[in-house]
Amino acid sequence: MTDPAPGAARPDAPDDAALREIEQRVLWLATAIVDHANRVRPNPSGLKVGGHQASSASMVTIMTALWLEQLTAEDRVSVKPHASPVLHALEFLLGQLDASWLTTLREFGGLQSYPSRLKDPVPADYSTGSVGIGATAPIWGALARRYVNTQFGAGGTGRQWSLVGDAELDEGAVWEAVLDPMVAELGEVNWVVDLNRQSLDRVVPTMGATRLQGMFTAAGWQVLTVKYGRLLEELFTRPGGAELRDRIDGMSNAEYQRLLRRTADEVRRELPGEGPGAAAVSGLVADVPDADLLAAVRNLGGHDLTALRAAFAQIDDTRPTVVIAYTLKGYGLATEGHPQNHSALLTEAQLHELAARVGVDPAEPWAGFPPGSAPATLLAGAAARLARPPVDDGGAPAVPVDLGRTPSGTATTQAALGRTLLDLNRAAPEVGRRVVTVSPDVSSSTNLGGWVNKVGVWSHEDRRDWFADDAETILHWRERPSGQHVELGIAETNLVGAIGELGATWSRWGQPLLPIGVLYDPFVERALEPWSFTIYAGGQSLLVGTPSGVTLAPEGGAHQSITTPSIGLEQPGCLSYEPAFALDTEWCLLAALGRMGRPGGQSAYVRLSTRPVDQALAAVPADPAARERRRRQVVAGAYPLRRVPRPAVTLAAMGAVVPEALAAAERLDGLGFPADVVVLTSPGLLFRAAQARRGLDEASPWVLDSVFPADRATPLVTVLDGHPHTLAFLAGVRGAPAAHLGVTRFGQSGDLDSVYRYHGLDVDSLVGAALDLVD
């Protein structure tokens, strides 16, 4: 990639000189940040450091124009992952980031690979890096801001911007969000698409702008296209200009990109083409000076300050807007337009050529502008405009740990979810008003109907319920600004994106929320990657998966969930619970909510079941002290449910299969092998406790000593409606022989007894596994 750098001529208005000088300094800084990380900083391991000079370069004009002219302190911006060096360059020039950080890109404890809310020294507005998810986050940020405004009057104003690479629009999560019915009303959402027509490996083969325009328009968005800059627009007005426009419009992406790598004489030869307008184009470009011609073929709208300014002025704040800005990948660099420039680094000679062109001394790469200069004055004004007051998180209200009710009769843990929310609303209204539930069109089938009837459905405006007078209507759909339930379309990615941003309002606007997302447990894995990313970005939320496992027997193998029980064991920043009884469910939900909406908080995943269980089996202690001890054990991960004087075996069961464990214990007693039964509620917390015993975690190991005391160490059988590996680590708690039962193959439709027998979750299988260990 040794072709000459592009011509320096730029069609700028005189009053844009300082802004263009800043833009060029941003280009230099972004390029130098990546260069230093790869070529200057010692790298004894020899591993590739990486970075994206070309992808950053395509964004410098857009981001300079936004930060210096368009943004306000209340605006929030999601920056495309590979443009993080541009963001850091602007932070430095605006006085937010000390120069010492510019040498730390991708260094341990330094500037992160991609913008991060929690790990960068200047917290990004949105964490990005997972393709498509960072781009859509401002949509859910806009929803969260509106929700905080309608509930507490504290969300402020401001636009929500997404800076998106065109290749990122291949991600399905983008279109799931764009197409959600609620999104068309979010007028504060603005996307700028960096249409550089290159992906990681190649020049994108088809011209996709027209297709993108149609897709966004069909979704109700305003579409603004910034294709050409003023120099090209001026050429289009000359004789032969119409033919030149048609010629460039009709070019393939690859042919156009190849022009960027040609000399002026080669451009004159190739640009006219062979069509009917070739002669007119040839005549037009024949007398254009070399530097102007080279500048013209790269004079796209995404690098023209006046064109961008005009587009931003047209934004309609009554609906979402997408600005499709044509750009050059590698703009202003020697690698400009090359199909393999994605991760390319400038050579030392090319870097020095760039420094000379933008007026920087390579020996002082991080120098700022002289005080009092026009760029310094412009930057100081922008810094003052963008300064934000510190956020007081306000403190989430204390969540009660026990609502005092002891369920009786037959109940499901799924039904206990709605019951707990209603009881919480009555017992602690200051906490209840912070709860917001979100569902992808499964509210009624996940037992949220009573809650929705009580609190209403959230909408930014009142809407008439046309079925309010229908006597056969059970679920009342009252949409109003005071509602506390958000209903989305059927897209799990949208669900977790929304609860992630609702779970970040304590840090954005000082108003903590307790968001609960409810979806079918078989689809949790579909949502896991984007939910994990929202946790990484600091969103604290509670995800409820229900119904779960093969216990939903008639649904068969298509709707089973085998690996979900291990999520809380493996997902950083998240704990998990799978309760067996209604009261366990209440305690676990309250414990999870109590960890949210605050600094140092965390998310939770709760797996619930539709299996009706006799609540008398829970044997809840009547004594208040004993009840509290049971509650503490439940929320810590496990509790003993059945103790015998001299156990021969221990059955440790989780969730829906606890009744089978109790029945198996009774049979084992009759066979002369007394059995303890331990109910497990959180494999993740138990694993942390086991690690803490070895000094590998800061958790307290007391729950293991309470549930699996040394003097009751016996052979162990674990069982759950999920993959048996989830609980296999428990064999190491006391080093006893163990057998692990669970689901390891696709399911079958049928009645519960048949399905349990098929998977070895039935009483016979438990008894047989125990006898194998004790005989």
Side-chain angles (χ1 to χ4, degrees), residues 671-734:
L671 296 172
F673 298 103
D676 280 353
V677 175
V678 172
V679 176
L680 310 172
T681 56
S682 177
L685 290 176
L686 294 179
F687 182 76
R688 289 193 60 192
Q691 292 289 84
R693 292 172 63 182
R694 298 174 174 85
L696 301 176
D697 198 287
E698 298 177 355
S700 173
W702 70 267
V703 66
L704 292 178
D705 296 326
S706 173
V707 176
F708 299 109
D711 62 353
R712 301 185 74 83
T714 64
L716 175 69
V717 178
T718 67
V719 61
L720 76 160
D721 185 356
H723 199 283
H725 82 87
T726 309
L727 304 177
F729 72 92
L730 290 173
V733 172
R734 295 299 173 196

Side-chain angles (χ1 to χ4, degrees), residues 50-92:
H52 302 86
Q53 291 176 335
S55 295
S56 292
S58 66
M59 288 298 301
V60 292
T61 315
I62 292 169
M63 291 179 66
T64 300
L66 279 174
W67 263 258
L68 271 293
E69 292 189 335
Q70 301 295 327
L71 299 182
T72 71
E74 292 199 277
D75 288 359
R76 298 290 186 272
V77 187
S78 172
V79 176
K80 79 170 189 176
H82 292 166
S84 64
V86 182
L87 177 62
H88 299 315
L90 284 165
E91 291 167 344
F92 164 67

Side-chain angles (χ1 to χ4, degrees), residues 140 143-144 147 180 182 417 421 434-443 446 448 451-452 455-458 477 484-489 491-503 513-520 541-545:
W140 312 119
L143 183 148
Y147 186 89
D180 192 275
M182 185 176 292
L417 167 66
L421 293 179
R434 301 280 173 177
V435 173
V436 51
T437 56
V438 187
S439 167
D441 200 36
V442 292
S443 301
T446 55
L448 281 182
W451 165 258
V452 172
V455 301
V457 178
W458 179 79
W477 211 252
Q484 290 179 241
H485 175 76
V486 177
E487 189 81 0
L488 299 174
E492 289 77 15
T493 298
N494 290 349
L495 169 77
V496 295
I499 62 175
E501 290 305 320
L502 289 164
L513 295 175
L514 305 176
I516 303 173
V518 181
L519 76 167
Y520 292 158
S541 58
L542 195 161
L543 188 64
V544 176

